[in-house]
Amino acid sequence: MTASAETHDSIRAVQWQGDHLRLLDQRLLPGEERWIDCRDAAQVTQAIRDLAVRGAPAIGIAAAWGVAMAAQQGAPLEPVLAMLRAARPTAVNLMWALDRMKKRIAAGADADALLREAQAIQDEDLAANRRMGELGAALIAPGSGVLTHCNTGSLATAGYGTALGVIRAGVAAERIARVYAGETRPWQQGARLTMWELVRDGIPAQLIADSAAAHLMKSGAVQWVIVGADRIAANGDTANKIGTYQLAIAAKYHGVKFMVVAPSSTVDMATGSGEEIEIELRDPAELLSTAGHRTVVEGAQAWNPVFDVAPAELIDAIVTERGVIERPNSIAMQVMFGC
């Protein structure tokens, strides 16, 4: 990694403290940088459910530490695994990390071994992100503009990021000349979190309204849309933050390439297609308010899906640490992830 790339990699939002887990509360950014100290698995579960920690890889990492902490405290682990598993339904990394910890428990791992396993999950994610950054950036022609959605950076991972890791690497390699971030209603992860990361790490970027994305593509300012994923099905269909599907449609229409960046732990070969992915619905109140202030007339109702599915035929490349699948389909996915 070049010195330039290192200047774009300064944030670590999930930190193990030896006997508890410290999480940067993402609900309060950018206005306040407050850390939450989770001292048992129930507090980790609540942090995941409340979106204090978010992003599929970061959720899995936090859950692994929750299990390890419970073991350190001598708590029964089966109820802890079930509690953490129920925290969020769509992000497959949560299930993957818990299954990995459960396998170690079944093999007789003690508390120290589970702590090492949680650390390994976190370390492997950071290494994977840096590898994906290199692979994804290599697909981008010098001088390109990119648009990203939601937050896929250090806040959502062990560090560096998935889609934002590709952007970090692309900027460092002078392949990316322009970065745009969609605001990502209703939680505004793009406005609050992605822009916070980009500014903090010295990457020039512009925020756009979600509804301006197609107009931006029509202008010719962007050549790639780069997003993360919460679950990738066996045929390449990808569940990601709500709004991703419409970006994929608009990108196809305007001749803009569409890249999904996610670790192999996000790939769920047991799910045949996007039709089988459970889409989480959250409290309609999140859509009726902004920053906790009601903005919609009393009595109004809302529908608040958190994710949607971009079909594989709209995706030009899926980038994982194992390699790149261009024009993904069931056969290509099976070749890379079937073993």
Side-chain angles (χ1 to χ4, degrees):
M1 188 169 62
T2 68
S4 177
E6 289 175 357
T7 66
H8 302 318
D9 183 26
S10 66
I11 301 160
R12 298 292 179 267
V14 181
Q15 299 181 6
W16 177 246
Q17 300 295 302
D19 62 352
H20 68 278
L21 185 64
R22 177 164 290 178
L23 301 171
L24 182 59
D25 190 342
Q26 299 185 34
R27 299 168 298 180
L28 302 179
L29 292 171
E32 180 180 353
E33 295 182 29
R34 181 187 299 175
W35 292 83
I36 299 173
D37 288 321
C38 298
R39 299 190 178 276
D40 58 36
Q43 292 179 345
V44 175
T45 302
Q46 196 64 44
I48 294 171
R49 186 176 293 122
D50 291 347
L51 302 182
V53 58
R54 41 137 307 278
I59 288 170
I61 292 163
W65 283 120
V67 174
M69 180 164 44
Q72 189 181 54
Q73 296 168 351
L77 296 183
E78 281 299 324
V80 166
L81 288 163
M83 175 178 63
L84 284 161
R85 185 176 292 271
R88 296 288 300 276
T90 303
V92 72
N93 302 66
L94 172 62
M95 317 310 171
W96 172 86
L98 291 173
D99 286 345
R100 182 163 161 176
M101 297 297 283
K102 186 174 182 178
K103 184 176 180 180
R104 296 288 288 126
I105 293 166
D110 60 11
D112 287 342
L114 292 176
L115 288 166
R116 290 194 297 272
E117 189 71 9
Q119 186 65 61
I121 289 172
Q122 184 158 345
D123 292 345
E124 289 166 17
D125 183 70
L126 180 57
N129 292 341
R130 288 179 172 149
R131 175 63 176 156
M132 289 186 290
E134 295 172 3
L135 292 172
L139 300 175
I140 300 170
S144 293
V146 301
L147 168 65
T148 192
H149 184 61
C150 197
N151 174 260
T152 58
S154 297
L155 294 172
T157 63
Y160 204 61
T162 55
L164 205 53
V166 169
I167 291 172
R168 285 185 161 104
V171 169
E174 298 183 346
R175 289 178 172 270
I176 294 175
R178 299 171 303 281
V179 179
Y180 300 90
E183 60 186 343
T184 327
R185 282 281 292 150
W187 275 84
Q188 297 191 318
Q189 293 98 325
R192 295 188 303 105
L193 306 179
T194 296
M195 291 300 294
W196 180 81
E197 286 202 41
L198 291 168
V199 169
R200 186 183 179 106
D201 276 356
I203 298 175
Q206 289 182 286
L207 180 70
I208 66 165
D210 291 339
S211 52
H215 181 64
L216 179 70
M217 294 180 202
K218 183 180 179 182
S219 76
V222 298
Q223 285 65 54
W224 282 90
V225 176
I226 309 176
V227 301
D230 286 83
R231 187 178 298 234
I232 302 173
N235 68 343
D237 291 352
T238 296
N240 191 49
K241 181 58 58 182
I242 192 73
T244 301
Y245 178 33
Q246 63 194 23
L247 289 177
I249 293 171
K252 181 66 71 173
Y253 181 83
H254 291 99
V256 172
K257 291 188 177 296
F258 195 90
M259 184 191 303
V260 172
V261 188
S264 56
S265 57
T266 304
V267 175
D268 182 8
M269 294 300 287
T271 296
S273 74
E275 295 295 324
E276 301 172 29
I277 297 175
E278 178 183 357
I279 298 299
E280 179 183 355
L281 294 174
R282 288 184 63 86
D283 187 348
E286 295 176 352
L287 202 59
L288 301 172
S289 303
T290 300
H293 300 287
R294 179 90 181 194
T295 54
V296 181
V297 64
E298 292 292 339
Q301 298 181 342
W303 179 55
N304 188 22
V306 188
F307 304 97
D308 56 26
V309 176
E313 56 264 30
L314 298 181
I315 298 170
D316 291 284
I318 293 177
V319 178
T320 77
E321 79 281 10
R322 295 191 189 181
V324 177
I325 296 177
E326 297 190 64
R327 297 176 296 280
N329 56 39
S330 297
I331 295 172
M333 292 291 292
Q334 183 67 29
V335 168
M336 185 167 289
F337 300 107
C339 57

